[in-house]
Amino acid sequence: MERREVAAVLAYTGRLDPRTIRTDPGEARDQLAQWHELLHDVPFATDHGWDVRRAIRTHVLDSPYPILPVDVARAWRAYRRDRLDRHTDPTPTADPDNPAAWRAELLGSRQAVATGTAAPSTHRQLTSGGPHADVEARLRAIGSCVPPTIRAALAPYRPARAAREAAVAAGLPDALDVPCPWCHARAGEPCRSRRVGPDGRARGNAPRATSHPTRLDLAAAELARQEAA
């Protein structure tokens, strides 16, 4: 900002917070010099979200202390850092065999984003839209994101899931839809082995590949109730 812009900022700040007003000419001159020294590289406003008046108003609303020029400078640095964090360097159009031109174009695009004169290039962000048509066709062909051959190969390493899938394929109720009254496993979690020791306390907490019979009965009763309803 130029000195006249800094003077406008101080006038705006004084309207919002009279504590920042300096009535003595010498103090006012020193205040203007201090603010200009710290804010000479901070723009008054940009086309992409930055406005020094908004930063001042936010500080006045959020802080009980009078605003200092360093508060505005820090807000500007946070704005720049956020924009650069969301920016991905596009491929320069300069000749790759000309390192100086290549580097100059990269630095120029980053400088434009940092100063708010250009929007960040965020081509790495997730975009809307469904899967590709080829992916949809393959999913319809195999019926699942995991092919049957891969599912069969993983079955020995996922016995609880394999037993659950086999039960559903056979038309039996899914026991994991209900909590287990025996081991108190919550819905969606596999049953746990509980052995009662001589002292009457439960021992062992290893997950089981199959559900307890009482859980199976409860799942069958719940399925029958839903079908009857």
Side-chain angles (χ1 to χ4, degrees):
M1 285 185 284
E2 299 178 357
R3 288 181 66 89
R4 58 181 181 83
E5 292 177 321
V6 175
V9 168
L10 286 173
Y12 177 78
T13 305
R15 289 197 301 269
L16 298 184
D17 187 358
R19 294 176 298 176
T20 61
I21 298 176
R22 299 294 183 265
T23 56
D24 182 78
E27 292 182 357
R29 185 169 52 254
D30 293 342
Q31 183 188 41
L32 178 60
Q34 180 193 32
W35 279 65
H36 183 254
E37 177 66 24
L38 291 173
L39 303 182
H40 70 276
D41 60 343
V42 177
F44 189 88
T46 67
D47 296 332
H48 299 281
W50 167 260
D51 192 318
V52 68
R53 294 165 297 185
R54 184 180 304 158
I56 294 172
R57 187 166 55 249
T58 300
H59 179 89
V60 172
L61 291 174
D62 294 343
S63 176
Y65 302 103
I67 190 170
L68 299 174
V70 68
D71 297 322
V72 180
R74 288 171 179 168
W76 165 247
R77 290 192 174 190
Y79 169 85
R80 288 186 48 170
R81 185 165 53 250
D82 174 70
R83 291 177 62 81
L84 290 175
D85 286 344
R86 292 186 288 110
H87 175 67
T88 300
D89 291 322
T91 303
T93 58
D95 185 359
D97 294 331
N98 187 345
W102 183 279
R103 183 174 181 272
E105 187 173 342
L106 279 179
L107 293 179
S109 64
R110 292 181 186 178
Q111 181 67 14
V113 170
T115 56
T117 58
S121 176
T122 56
H123 68 269
R124 288 186 181 178
Q125 290 184 349
L126 294 177
T127 57
S128 60
H132 192 271
D134 180 60
V135 176
E136 293 182 342
R138 294 182 63 186
L139 286 177
R140 286 194 300 268
I142 62 178
S144 171
C145 295
V146 182
T149 54
I150 303 301
R151 192 184 304 275
L154 292 175
Y157 305 98
R158 304 187 303 177
R161 185 179 183 88
R164 186 181 187 185
E165 293 174 349
V168 173
L172 300 176
D174 187 0
L176 269 64
D177 284 344
V178 297
C180 181
W182 171 253
C183 67
H184 304 295
R186 292 179 295 184
E189 296 181 355
C191 287
R192 299 278 178 172
S193 297
R194 294 181 61 198
R195 295 171 297 170
V196 179
D199 56 355
R201 296 184 178 181
R203 299 183 182 274
N205 198 34
R208 290 167 50 98
T210 58
S211 300
H212 287 108
T214 54
R215 191 175 194 177
L216 294 172
D217 295 341
L218 181 61
E222 181 64 20
L223 179 62
R225 185 188 67 80
Q226 293 178 359
E227 292 177 349

